[in-house]
Amino acid sequence: MQAMKRSIIADVVAIAAIALLITTTFYWIEARREVIILCDNFTPGVSKKSVERQLDTAGLLLWDTEFVANGSKIEAYSPLHLGIMKCSVEFNKQDTVVFSIVE
């Protein structure tokens, strides 16, 4: 009887681990897609307000604004990627996109 209970518990734990792995993989892929797709939307000439509005719609991304000598810069990243993959968007002093790149 004890061996059967252990077997059932082991099966439940294995199924839960597989489900967790599948879920994490799904969110990892979606976060990667969000970074790439949103970064492709930020072409030269797009306003900073538009970029911020689009980034606010992202569910799996965080973003920070940094002010630099000739404008500002936004970096959007997903915590699921541990900051390895990010979208950098540079703005000029008129708050329009100069360029964006996925790093």
Side-chain angles (χ1 to χ4, degrees):
M1 189 71 159
Q2 287 288 52
M4 186 174 183
K5 283 184 182 179
R6 280 190 216 142
S7 176
I8 292 172
I9 291 172
D11 290 346
V12 169
V13 169
I15 290 170
I18 291 170
L20 180 64
L21 179 65
I22 290 170
T23 303
T24 303
T25 302
F26 172 77
Y27 279 108
W28 189 87
I29 291 169
E30 286 302 309
R32 182 179 183 277
R33 286 181 59 210
E34 258 188 7
V35 169
I36 293 170
I37 290 170
L38 282 175
C39 208
D40 284 346
N41 286 343
F42 309 143
T43 56
V46 174
S47 71
K48 187 174 184 179
K49 291 282 186 198
S50 175
V51 171
E52 291 172 344
R53 190 173 48 250
Q54 289 181 58
L55 288 172
D56 282 339
T57 65
L60 301 171
L61 297 182
L62 300 175
W63 56 279
D64 298 317
T65 301
E66 177 183 331
F67 295 97
V68 293
N70 53 348
S72 60
K73 179 179 180 179
I74 290 180
E75 289 191 349
Y77 58 93
S78 171
L80 293 173
H81 293 121
L82 306 173
I84 295 171
M85 183 179 192
K86 63 184 173 184
C87 173
S88 294
V89 186
E90 287 213 13
F91 301 91
N92 58 20
K93 290 184 179 180
Q94 291 76 33
D95 282 343
T96 58
V97 173
V98 176
F99 72 90
S100 65
I101 187 167
V102 175
E103 300 174 328

